[in-house]
Amino acid sequence: MNKKFKNIIFDCDSTLVKVEGLDEIARRKGLLKRVREITAAGMNGYLPFSQSLRKRLKIIQPTENDLVWLGWQYVQELVSDAAMVIEELKFRGLNVFILTGGLLPAVEVLGDYLEIKSKNVCAVSLKESDHFRASGPIGTNDLDTFKIKFVQQIQETGPTVLVGDGMTDFEAGKHADLFIGFGGVVFRPQLKKLCQFYIEEPRLQPVLDIVL
């Protein structure tokens, strides 16, 4: 049983998996060029997440079938050792969570594959064209703060680590006991400068070396 940390929270896109979900749907529909710049602006902290999401969804207009397809793309595009790392963390007694601005139906497919409890998955539930809600125990419509609120709630149960690749992850990570930046999929120099720990290799094994 690990005594150092109780909880570990992973971002999904460009952390557990090697793709950005909405970019993949946009690529499938021939819309990637229009969407990619908006994704980058949000991930680098130049555009609030809620604005980035609305702009991209307005262009892409994903269907339910698109989101199921994306879920299986997530599974196929897992970072090479992600499943092994998660299995080891659970074996060592840590609670594993996914916290992401990705859309819930797709993230649920990935969570099921990794055997992460549905209650431990917090993503964005799209109810109608411009109405969003973060899933999970926090249940909020404020998509610019939901990551922070989720981390705060989990951290109250014990020492918590957050692993992510973007600035919204970093801001939420301020409310964890430790933030680990992941640049194994997309290297972000501005994020590296802010991190005590920053992983540049395309695998998650170093997370085990840090937290166990």
Side-chain angles (χ1 to χ4, degrees):
M1 175 72 73
N2 178 272
K3 302 296 183 182
K4 190 175 181 182
F5 294 103
K6 180 177 181 180
N7 309 303
I8 184 158
I9 306 170
F10 288 95
D11 176 42
C12 178
D13 297 20
S14 297
T15 300
L16 285 177
V17 302
K18 296 177 286 187
V19 295
E20 286 290 328
L22 288 182
D23 283 7
E24 292 306 295
I25 297 176
R27 187 194 310 276
R28 190 185 190 203
K29 295 187 171 189
L31 299 167
L32 182 59
K33 184 175 180 181
R34 293 176 62 189
V35 169
R36 179 175 273 168
E37 291 183 2
I38 303 171
T39 300
M43 294 304 298
N44 290 317
Y46 302 133
L47 187 68
F49 172 71
S50 59
Q51 291 184 30
S52 168
L53 181 63
R54 285 184 167 86
K55 285 176 177 288
R56 287 178 290 161
L57 288 176
K58 186 174 181 179
I59 295 169
I60 299 168
Q61 298 183 22
T63 65
E64 183 176 342
N65 286 339
D66 289 332
L67 297 177
V68 173
W69 172 86
L70 177 59
W72 288 108
Q73 287 297 111
Y74 279 156
V75 171
Q76 293 175 30
E77 295 292 342
L78 273 166
V79 166
S80 61
D81 61 352
M84 180 276 291
V85 167
I86 287 174
E87 184 177 358
E88 180 67 16
L89 290 165
K90 291 191 290 186
F91 176 76
R92 297 294 190 98
L94 280 78
N95 301 313
V96 179
F97 301 84
I98 298 176
L99 171 63
T100 175
L103 296 180
L104 183 61
V107 181
E108 284 180 325
V109 174
L110 179 64
D112 286 345
Y113 180 82
L114 294 172
E115 298 184 350
I116 296 174
K117 300 173 183 176
S118 59
K119 68 177 183 178
N120 288 9
V121 174
C122 182
V124 176
S125 177
L126 177 58
K127 298 300 184 183
E128 48 190 67
S129 60
D130 60 354
H131 179 73
F132 310 97
R133 186 172 182 83
S135 68
I138 56 166
T140 178
N141 291 331
D142 186 351
L143 296 187
D144 291 322
T145 63
F146 82 98
K147 286 189 176 184
I148 291 172
K149 291 177 180 177
F150 184 84
V151 173
Q152 288 174 328
Q153 185 174 83
I154 299 305
Q155 197 278 333
E156 288 177 0
T157 71
T160 297
V161 183
L162 174 61
V163 183
D165 73 294
M167 288 304 299
T168 59
D169 302 312
F170 175 74
E171 291 301 321
K174 292 178 181 178
H175 301 270
D177 297 277
L178 177 66
F179 175 75
I180 301 173
F182 185 69
V185 176
V186 180
F187 176 67
R188 304 186 195 281
Q190 68 274 31
L191 181 62
K192 181 180 179 180
K193 293 176 183 177
L194 299 171
C195 295
Q196 178 185 0
F197 296 103
Y198 190 80
I199 299 169
E200 296 184 42
E201 53 192 290
R203 60 196 189 102
L204 288 164
Q205 171 68 36
V207 171
L208 299 179
D209 299 332
I210 295 167
V211 306
L212 298 180

